[in-house]
Amino acid sequence: MFGRTSSHQCVPHATGMYQCSSCCMSCLCIQLGAQKQSQGLQYSPARLQEQLGATQAQEQQSLQQLSRTNEAIQGLHRKVAELQQQLCWQVQDMENLQAELAQARQESTKQAEKIAAYKTHRQQLHRELRRMQTFKEQSKQEVLQSNNLTAPALCDSAELPPPGGRATRATSSRTRSSTKQSKD
């Protein structure tokens, strides 16, 4: 230390000071350092007690802060667990909703098919109804024509319609002309 050479030997004295065979600067520095240390030790019990109290107070504050931090962390862990549980429920709800949506789409498709079949059937019924109405009108007109043709002929005892119930054009024109002649 302090630049001592290996040939130089310092020996500690009972007073705590170092003595050496030759008085040198390095020994003096060591002696001064030892004095300062011993003086520091003489005054340190009260200071150490103060420092110990301050350290214990800081340690207590640190422990309290650590406790609050641990509580906050545990609170955050609980919150995370709650959020994870909510997320699981939401995922399950989402899966259920997707299944319900798929089922509703299938049902909607079935209903659309039924509606299309109903519309097709309805159109067929309307066409059939129109055909029947047209046929009815034609039949009614034929009956009226037949009645118009046969009524004057029966009254005049003229020619009767052929056995099918329908008069031909030639017969109907003769009947009309004969009806006109009889009126004249």
Side-chain angles (χ1 to χ4, degrees):
M1 286 179 155
F2 299 104
R4 289 184 297 184
T5 61
S6 59
S7 62
H8 186 200
Q9 294 287 331
C10 292
V11 181
H13 189 265
T15 62
M17 299 287 193
Y18 288 91
Q19 291 180 345
C20 61
S21 57
S22 65
C23 193
C24 69
M25 189 69 157
S26 62
C27 288
L28 186 58
C29 287
I30 292 172
Q31 288 176 359
L32 286 174
Q35 279 181 346
K36 285 183 181 177
Q37 259 186 347
S38 67
Q39 286 175 356
L41 289 176
Q42 289 173 1
Y43 299 108
S44 68
R47 268 182 126 182
L48 287 176
Q49 196 66 23
E50 282 179 33
Q51 287 179 350
L52 181 63
T55 304
Q56 286 175 342
Q58 285 177 348
E59 184 180 358
Q60 188 65 27
Q61 287 176 348
S62 295
L63 287 174
Q64 289 173 352
Q65 186 175 3
L66 181 62
S67 176
R68 287 190 299 269
T69 303
N70 280 338
E71 288 174 14
I73 289 171
Q74 288 175 357
L76 290 173
H77 283 299
R78 284 190 298 272
K79 187 67 175 175
V80 166
E82 289 174 14
L83 290 174
Q84 285 176 335
Q85 185 63 42
Q86 288 176 357
L87 183 61
C88 285
W89 289 334
Q90 288 175 353
V91 167
Q92 288 174 351
D93 288 345
M94 181 69 80
E95 290 171 356
N96 291 339
L97 289 173
Q98 286 175 343
E100 288 178 23
L101 179 62
Q103 186 177 2
R105 284 182 178 158
Q106 288 176 348
E107 193 64 33
S108 175
T109 302
K110 288 178 185 177
Q111 292 298 326
E113 290 170 358
K114 286 180 182 179
I115 289 170
Y118 168 77
K119 285 182 179 180
T120 303
H121 185 65
R122 184 174 168 215
Q123 288 172 349
Q124 289 172 348
L125 289 175
H126 277 281
R127 282 192 295 268
E128 187 66 29
L129 180 62
R130 277 189 235 118
R131 261 186 286 174
M132 291 175 81
Q133 287 174 340
T134 303
F135 180 73
K136 184 179 175 182
E137 279 297 316
Q138 288 174 350
S139 295
K140 195 177 193 182
Q141 287 176 359
E142 286 177 3
V143 167
L144 285 174
Q145 286 176 356
S146 175
N147 285 341
N148 286 340
L149 293 176
T150 57
L154 289 177
C155 292
D156 294 336
S157 299
E159 220 179 278
L160 292 174
R166 290 175 118 181
T168 60
R169 284 187 172 222
T171 309
S172 62
S173 59
R174 275 184 274 154
T175 308
R176 283 188 207 137
S177 60
S178 64
T179 310
K180 284 183 186 177
Q181 290 172 358
S182 60
K183 288 183 183 178
D184 291 337

